[in-house]
Amino acid sequence: MPTLNASPLAVVVPSQTRRRIWKHPELTSHSLVVLTFDRLHLAPLAGAPKSETLAAIDAGADLDDLLGPLATVVELASVRRVKLDLHANTLILEYVGTGIGTRRVKVVFASPEAADACFTKTWRRLGDGLQLLPYKHNFWTLARAPLTLLGGVLIATAILTLLLSIFEDFAAARAAGAVSIPAVGDLGSPGRIPKSPLEVLLGWLDWRVVCGVGGVAAAALQVWLYRRVTQPPAALEVVRT
């Protein structure tokens, strides 16, 4: 009669013992990456792996013999930090090697989907000992450029609008004769104040157009500012606590 109380060591969880495989060309830094329950095996780049090699891995063959001495083997228990570069689709693992100090290995993927999958499954195999670092960005570093330009646009628009309004008042007063020059002697004739060089330079502008252009530029800069300060993180990082 079979026993009803099986030993906990005899219980096999398929999701924990299954080997996860990533291969070239979805990998660009290695030919093959195999994630087991307690190790990460990385075969050096030598083209796409053979179908019989993949079949042997699925069948449970010894990976040390199958991949050879040139393969890199990372004990998951020795991993101290895992970083996923979302822009470069790169997984970076820091682990304690056989020698002194910490070693690093980079795994580069051809697509963000493959990189995300490897990061997620590796983190799951590492267990609860690693914690995701909160993402923090420097607000002033991201907002400095758009805020500086936005302030410049607003100041320039205000100055130009004020100058054009003054020029318009002077033009109206000049047309009404309010700023004419008194007669010079008995034979003198009244004259008008000539336009200043600044008025000649900017007098063709209309303050309404200046306000409209400045408003459009300010709106565009505000959109740029919003996108910069709300941009997603550039990397995800977990560390062993």
Side-chain angles (χ1 to χ4, degrees):
M1 179 178 180
T3 180
L4 297 179
N5 297 322
S7 171
L9 297 178
V11 178
V12 177
V13 181
S15 63
Q16 294 294 332
T17 58
R18 179 183 173 188
R19 293 175 171 181
R20 306 290 182 174
I21 302 173
W22 291 269
K23 57 184 181 299
H24 186 80
E26 67 178 340
L27 282 171
T28 60
S29 59
H30 298 79
S31 289
L32 192 65
V33 170
V34 183
L35 176 64
T36 67
F37 178 72
D38 57 353
R39 287 181 174 183
L40 185 69
H41 297 257
L42 304 100
L45 184 61
K50 298 179 180 179
S51 58
E52 51 266 29
T53 301
L54 299 176
I57 294 174
D58 287 333
D62 184 272
L63 293 177
D64 292 332
D65 294 337
L66 189 63
L67 301 181
L70 297 180
T72 301
V73 180
V74 179
E75 298 285 346
L76 296 184
S78 67
V79 175
R80 294 295 176 261
R81 183 185 299 265
V82 182
K83 180 180 179 180
L84 174 61
D85 189 327
L86 298 174
H87 292 166
N89 299 327
T90 301
L91 188 68
I92 304 172
L93 294 96
E94 294 184 4
Y95 64 99
V96 179
T98 55
I100 300 176
T102 302
R103 297 184 178 181
R104 299 179 66 189
V105 62
K106 291 184 179 181
V107 186
V108 184
F109 296 85
S111 67
E113 292 79 13
D116 293 344
C118 187
F119 174 75
T120 303
K121 288 175 171 48
T122 302
W123 184 9
R124 188 179 302 164
R125 294 287 173 91
L126 290 171
D128 299 331
L130 277 82
Q131 182 179 4
L132 180 66
L133 294 180
Y135 172 69
K136 296 180 180 180
H137 60 255
N138 191 320
F139 176 84
W140 175 242
T141 300
L142 296 175
R144 181 185 300 149
L147 282 178
T148 301
L149 291 176
L150 179 60
V153 167
L154 293 177
I155 292 174
T157 302
I159 293 176
L160 282 175
T161 302
L162 178 61
L163 288 176
L164 293 175
S165 178
I166 294 174
F167 295 160
E168 191 174 277
D169 292 341
F170 266 102
R174 189 183 296 111
V179 293
S180 59
I181 301 175
V184 181
D186 295 336
L187 300 178
S189 60
R192 297 185 180 276
I193 298 177
K195 294 182 179 181
S196 65
L198 184 60
E199 188 176 1
V200 173
L201 180 63
L202 302 177
W204 60 274
L205 291 174
D206 188 282
W207 65 270
R208 300 172 189 84
V209 176
V210 172
C211 289
V213 173
V216 171
L221 289 172
Q222 290 179 59
V223 172
W224 182 31
L225 172 63
Y226 175 78
R227 289 182 176 178
R228 282 186 66 103
V229 299
T230 59
Q231 64 184 6
L236 298 176
E237 192 169 0
V238 294
V239 296
R240 189 173 296 279
T241 56

